[in-house]
PDB file of all heavy atoms in Angstrom:
ATOM      1  N   ASN Z1458      93.938 114.923 108.378  1.00 70.00           N
ATOM      2  CA  ASN Z1458      95.044 114.328 109.124  1.00 70.00           C
ATOM      3  C   ASN Z1458      94.642 114.037 110.561  1.00 70.00           C
ATOM      4  O   ASN Z1458      95.057 113.033 111.151  1.00 70.00           O
ATOM      5  CB  ASN Z1458      96.263 115.257 109.098  1.00 70.00           C
ATOM      6  CG  ASN Z1458      96.941 115.293 107.749  1.00 70.00           C
ATOM      7  OD1 ASN Z1458      96.747 114.391 106.933  1.00 70.00           O
ATOM      8  ND2 ASN Z1458      97.725 116.321 107.500  1.00 70.00           N
ATOM      9  N   GLY Z1459      93.835 114.951 111.146  1.00 72.00           N
ATOM     10  CA  GLY Z1459      93.353 114.729 112.498  1.00 72.00           C
ATOM     11  C   GLY Z1459      92.485 113.488 112.585  1.00 72.00           C
ATOM     12  O   GLY Z1459      92.521 112.746 113.578  1.00 72.00           O
ATOM     13  N   ILE Z1460      91.697 113.263 111.530  1.00 68.00           N
ATOM     14  CA  ILE Z1460      90.845 112.065 111.493  1.00 68.00           C
ATOM     15  C   ILE Z1460      91.695 110.808 111.348  1.00 68.00           C
ATOM     16  O   ILE Z1460      91.502 109.821 112.058  1.00 68.00           O
ATOM     17  CB  ILE Z1460      89.838 112.172 110.332  1.00 68.00           C
ATOM     18  CG1 ILE Z1460      88.839 113.305 110.608  1.00 68.00           C
ATOM     19  CG2 ILE Z1460      89.092 110.855 110.128  1.00 68.00           C
ATOM     20  CD1 ILE Z1460      87.922 113.601 109.447  1.00 68.00           C
ATOM     21  N   THR Z1461      92.651 110.851 110.425  1.00 66.00           N
ATOM     22  CA  THR Z1461      93.459 109.662 110.158  1.00 66.00           C
ATOM     23  C   THR Z1461      94.455 109.380 111.286  1.00 66.00           C
ATOM     24  O   THR Z1461      94.948 108.253 111.409  1.00 66.00           O
ATOM     25  CB  THR Z1461      94.234 109.815 108.832  1.00 66.00           C
ATOM     26  OG1 THR Z1461      94.989 111.033 108.863  1.00 66.00           O
ATOM     27  CG2 THR Z1461      93.282 109.849 107.655  1.00 66.00           C
ATOM     28  N   ALA Z1462      94.774 110.411 112.103  1.00 72.00           N
ATOM     29  CA  ALA Z1462      95.671 110.183 113.242  1.00 72.00           C
ATOM     30  C   ALA Z1462      95.005 109.308 114.295  1.00 72.00           C
ATOM     31  O   ALA Z1462      95.678 108.692 115.127  1.00 72.00           O
ATOM     32  CB  ALA Z1462      96.087 111.521 113.859  1.00 72.00           C
ATOM     33  N   THR Z1463      93.689 109.254 114.273  1.00 74.00           N
ATOM     34  CA  THR Z1463      92.935 108.363 115.156  1.00 74.00           C
ATOM     35  C   THR Z1463      92.380 107.213 114.311  1.00 74.00           C
ATOM     36  O   THR Z1463      92.793 106.996 113.198  1.00 74.00           O
ATOM     37  CB  THR Z1463      91.781 109.127 115.828  1.00 74.00           C
ATOM     38  OG1 THR Z1463      90.856 109.549 114.817  1.00 74.00           O
ATOM     39  CG2 THR Z1463      92.290 110.351 116.561  1.00 74.00           C
ATOM     40  N   ASN Z1464      91.422 106.530 114.853  1.00 67.00           N
ATOM     41  CA  ASN Z1464      90.827 105.396 114.137  1.00 67.00           C
ATOM     42  C   ASN Z1464      89.387 105.713 113.728  1.00 67.00           C
ATOM     43  O   ASN Z1464      88.577 104.808 113.526  1.00 67.00           O
ATOM     44  CB  ASN Z1464      90.865 104.148 115.034  1.00 67.00           C
ATOM     45  CG  ASN Z1464      90.793 102.868 114.229  1.00 67.00           C
ATOM     46  OD1 ASN Z1464      91.286 102.806 113.100  1.00 67.00           O
ATOM     47  ND2 ASN Z1464      90.165 101.843 114.798  1.00 67.00           N
ATOM     48  N   ILE Z1465      89.072 107.028 113.606  1.00 65.00           N
ATOM     49  CA  ILE Z1465      87.685 107.431 113.370  1.00 65.00           C
ATOM     50  C   ILE Z1465      87.155 106.906 112.052  1.00 65.00           C
ATOM     51  O   ILE Z1465      86.040 106.371 111.986  1.00 65.00           O
ATOM     52  CB  ILE Z1465      87.548 108.969 113.378  1.00 65.00           C
ATOM     53  CG1 ILE Z1465      87.788 109.503 114.770  1.00 65.00           C
ATOM     54  CG2 ILE Z1465      86.160 109.387 112.935  1.00 65.00           C
ATOM     55  CD1 ILE Z1465      87.704 110.992 114.845  1.00 65.00           C
ATOM     56  N   ASN Z1466      87.940 107.106 110.991  1.00 58.00           N
ATOM     57  CA  ASN Z1466      87.439 106.699 109.682  1.00 58.00           C
ATOM     58  C   ASN Z1466      87.106 105.216 109.651  1.00 58.00           C
ATOM     59  O   ASN Z1466      86.139 104.785 109.032  1.00 58.00           O
ATOM     60  CB  ASN Z1466      88.444 107.056 108.587  1.00 58.00           C
ATOM     61  CG  ASN Z1466      89.780 106.369 108.765  1.00 58.00           C
ATOM     62  OD1 ASN Z1466      90.449 106.594 109.765  1.00 58.00           O
ATOM     63  ND2 ASN Z1466      90.173 105.560 107.805  1.00 58.00           N
ATOM     64  N   GLN Z1467      87.921 104.420 110.367  1.00 62.00           N
ATOM     65  CA  GLN Z1467      87.646 102.981 110.420  1.00 62.00           C
ATOM     66  C   GLN Z1467      86.391 102.709 111.250  1.00 62.00           C
ATOM     67  O   GLN Z1467      85.575 101.850 110.891  1.00 62.00           O
ATOM     68  CB  GLN Z1467      88.843 102.251 111.017  1.00 62.00           C
ATOM     69  CG  GLN Z1467      88.875 100.752 110.760  1.00 62.00           C
ATOM     70  CD  GLN Z1467      88.959 100.419 109.297  1.00 62.00           C
ATOM     71  OE1 GLN Z1467      89.760 100.981 108.584  1.00 62.00           O
ATOM     72  NE2 GLN Z1467      88.084  99.538 108.836  1.00 62.00           N
ATOM     73  N   MET Z1468      86.230 103.474 112.342  1.00 68.00           N
ATOM     74  CA  MET Z1468      85.041 103.305 113.185  1.00 68.00           C
ATOM     75  C   MET Z1468      83.771 103.641 112.416  1.00 68.00           C
ATOM     76  O   MET Z1468      82.780 102.901 112.463  1.00 68.00           O
ATOM     77  CB  MET Z1468      85.154 104.203 114.429  1.00 68.00           C
ATOM     78  CG  MET Z1468      86.213 103.777 115.431  1.00 68.00           C
ATOM     79  SD  MET Z1468      86.510 105.049 116.700  1.00 68.00           S
ATOM     80  CE  MET Z1468      84.856 105.296 117.340  1.00 68.00           C
ATOM     81  N   LEU Z1469      83.796 104.764 111.696  1.00 64.00           N
ATOM     82  CA  LEU Z1469      82.619 105.169 110.921  1.00 64.00           C
ATOM     83  C   LEU Z1469      82.349 104.183 109.789  1.00 64.00           C
ATOM     84  O   LEU Z1469      81.196 103.894 109.469  1.00 64.00           O
ATOM     85  CB  LEU Z1469      82.821 106.579 110.369  1.00 64.00           C
ATOM     86  CG  LEU Z1469      82.889 107.700 111.404  1.00 64.00           C
ATOM     87  CD1 LEU Z1469      83.216 109.026 110.742  1.00 64.00           C
ATOM     88  CD2 LEU Z1469      81.574 107.805 112.173  1.00 64.00           C
ATOM     89  N   ALA Z1470      83.420 103.689 109.197  1.00 65.00           N
ATOM     90  CA  ALA Z1470      83.252 102.677 108.155  1.00 65.00           C
ATOM     91  C   ALA Z1470      82.636 101.409 108.734  1.00 65.00           C
ATOM     92  O   ALA Z1470      81.796 100.760 108.089  1.00 65.00           O
ATOM     93  CB  ALA Z1470      84.595 102.366 107.499  1.00 65.00           C
ATOM     94  N   ASP Z1471      83.043 101.044 109.964  1.00 69.00           N
ATOM     95  CA  ASP Z1471      82.457  99.868 110.626  1.00 69.00           C
ATOM     96  C   ASP Z1471      80.968 100.067 110.871  1.00 69.00           C
ATOM     97  O   ASP Z1471      80.160  99.143 110.690  1.00 69.00           O
ATOM     98  CB  ASP Z1471      83.165  99.603 111.957  1.00 69.00           C
ATOM     99  CG  ASP Z1471      84.572  99.066 111.764  1.00 69.00           C
ATOM    100  OD1 ASP Z1471      84.845  98.532 110.667  1.00 69.00           O
ATOM    101  OD2 ASP Z1471      85.395  99.186 112.692  1.00 69.00           O
ATOM    102  N   VAL Z1472      80.587 101.296 111.289  1.00 70.00           N
ATOM    103  CA  VAL Z1472      79.168 101.603 111.497  1.00 70.00           C
ATOM    104  C   VAL Z1472      78.406 101.459 110.184  1.00 70.00           C
ATOM    105  O   VAL Z1472      77.305 100.885 110.136  1.00 70.00           O
ATOM    106  CB  VAL Z1472      79.004 103.031 112.062  1.00 70.00           C
ATOM    107  CG1 VAL Z1472      77.529 103.427 112.080  1.00 70.00           C
ATOM    108  CG2 VAL Z1472      79.595 103.128 113.456  1.00 70.00           C
ATOM    109  N   LEU Z1473      79.004 101.974 109.114  1.00 69.00           N
ATOM    110  CA  LEU Z1473      78.367 101.890 107.800  1.00 69.00           C
ATOM    111  C   LEU Z1473      78.168 100.442 107.370  1.00 69.00           C
ATOM    112  O   LEU Z1473      77.105 100.066 106.856  1.00 69.00           O
ATOM    113  CB  LEU Z1473      79.216 102.635 106.767  1.00 69.00           C
ATOM    114  CG  LEU Z1473      78.660 102.712 105.339  1.00 69.00           C
ATOM    115  CD1 LEU Z1473      77.350 103.485 105.320  1.00 69.00           C
ATOM    116  CD2 LEU Z1473      79.669 103.387 104.404  1.00 69.00           C
ATOM    117  N   THR Z1474      79.182  99.623 107.607  1.00 70.00           N
ATOM    118  CA  THR Z1474      79.069  98.213 107.210  1.00 70.00           C
ATOM    119  C   THR Z1474      78.051  97.470 108.071  1.00 70.00           C
ATOM    120  O   THR Z1474      77.420  96.509 107.597  1.00 70.00           O
ATOM    121  CB  THR Z1474      80.432  97.508 107.305  1.00 70.00           C
ATOM    122  OG1 THR Z1474      80.976  97.691 108.618  1.00 70.00           O
ATOM    123  CG2 THR Z1474      81.403  98.067 106.288  1.00 70.00           C
ATOM    124  N   LYS Z1475      77.886  97.902 109.318  1.00 74.00           N
ATOM    125  CA  LYS Z1475      76.851  97.270 110.157  1.00 74.00           C
ATOM    126  C   LYS Z1475      75.456  97.599 109.639  1.00 74.00           C
ATOM    127  O   LYS Z1475      74.543  96.784 109.690  1.00 74.00           O
ATOM    128  CB  LYS Z1475      77.009  97.746 111.605  1.00 74.00           C
ATOM    129  CG  LYS Z1475      78.176  97.108 112.332  1.00 74.00           C
ATOM    130  CD  LYS Z1475      78.263  97.595 113.770  1.00 74.00           C
ATOM    131  CE  LYS Z1475      79.468  96.973 114.475  1.00 74.00           C
ATOM    132  NZ  LYS Z1475      79.604  97.468 115.870  1.00 74.00           N
ATOM    133  N   VAL Z1476      75.299  98.846 109.148  1.00 75.00           N
ATOM    134  CA  VAL Z1476      74.004  99.254 108.601  1.00 75.00           C
ATOM    135  C   VAL Z1476      73.722  98.535 107.282  1.00 75.00           C
ATOM    136  O   VAL Z1476      72.612  98.040 107.043  1.00 75.00           O
ATOM    137  CB  VAL Z1476      73.966 100.781 108.391  1.00 75.00           C
ATOM    138  CG1 VAL Z1476      72.682 101.192 107.670  1.00 75.00           C
ATOM    139  CG2 VAL Z1476      74.082 101.505 109.725  1.00 75.00           C
ATOM    140  N   LEU Z1477      74.742  98.479 106.427  1.00 74.00           N
ATOM    141  CA  LEU Z1477      74.561  97.875 105.097  1.00 74.00           C
ATOM    142  C   LEU Z1477      74.772  96.368 105.089  1.00 74.00           C
ATOM    143  O   LEU Z1477      74.347  95.694 104.144  1.00 74.00           O
ATOM    144  CB  LEU Z1477      75.533  98.525 104.098  1.00 74.00           C
ATOM    145  CG  LEU Z1477      75.362 100.025 103.848  1.00 74.00           C
ATOM    146  CD1 LEU Z1477      76.442 100.522 102.895  1.00 74.00           C
ATOM    147  CD2 LEU Z1477      73.974 100.325 103.284  1.00 74.00           C
ATOM    148  N   GLY Z1478      75.454  95.861 106.128  1.00 72.00           N
ATOM    149  CA  GLY Z1478      75.785  94.439 106.141  1.00 72.00           C
ATOM    150  C   GLY Z1478      77.222  94.220 105.718  1.00 72.00           C
ATOM    151  O   GLY Z1478      77.878  95.107 105.171  1.00 72.00           O
ATOM    152  N   THR Z1479      77.722  93.041 105.966  1.00 69.00           N
ATOM    153  CA  THR Z1479      79.112  92.728 105.636  1.00 69.00           C
ATOM    154  C   THR Z1479      79.311  92.517 104.146  1.00 69.00           C
ATOM    155  O   THR Z1479      80.438  92.562 103.659  1.00 69.00           O
ATOM    156  CB  THR Z1479      79.565  91.469 106.392  1.00 69.00           C
ATOM    157  OG1 THR Z1479      78.641  90.399 106.104  1.00 69.00           O
ATOM    158  CG2 THR Z1479      79.594  91.714 107.886  1.00 69.00           C
ATOM    159  N   GLN Z1480      78.233  92.293 103.432  1.00 80.00           N
ATOM    160  CA  GLN Z1480      78.317  92.133 101.977  1.00 80.00           C
ATOM    161  C   GLN Z1480      77.338  93.110 101.339  1.00 80.00           C
ATOM    162  O   GLN Z1480      76.165  93.160 101.714  1.00 80.00           O
ATOM    163  CB  GLN Z1480      77.929  90.704 101.585  1.00 80.00           C
ATOM    164  CG  GLN Z1480      78.789  89.656 102.239  1.00 80.00           C
ATOM    165  CD  GLN Z1480      79.695  88.945 101.238  1.00 80.00           C
ATOM    166  OE1 GLN Z1480      79.419  88.935 100.068  1.00 80.00           O
ATOM    167  NE2 GLN Z1480      80.768  88.375 101.727  1.00 80.00           N
ATOM    168  N   VAL Z1481      77.837  93.884 100.412  1.00 83.00           N
ATOM    169  CA  VAL Z1481      76.976  94.856  99.743  1.00 83.00           C
ATOM    170  C   VAL Z1481      77.348  94.903  98.266  1.00 83.00           C
ATOM    171  O   VAL Z1481      78.517  94.745  97.892  1.00 83.00           O
ATOM    172  CB  VAL Z1481      77.120  96.264 100.380  1.00 83.00           C
ATOM    173  CG1 VAL Z1481      78.512  96.808 100.194  1.00 83.00           C
ATOM    174  CG2 VAL Z1481      76.094  97.222  99.818  1.00 83.00           C
TER     175      VAL Z1481
END
């Protein structure tokens, strides 16, 4: 809940997509 109360999960997901690319 602490994670979802912020935008962390989206930020980490954005980092992941930058590493893997916008299409995987």
Side-chain angles (χ1 to χ4, degrees):
N1458 287 341
I1460 293 173
T1461 54
T1463 64
N1464 203 32
I1465 292 179
N1466 61 298
Q1467 197 62 47
M1468 290 169 55
L1469 294 175
D1471 288 339
V1472 171
L1473 183 63
T1474 54
K1475 285 181 182 178
V1476 173
L1477 298 177
T1479 55
Q1480 302 249 338
V1481 64

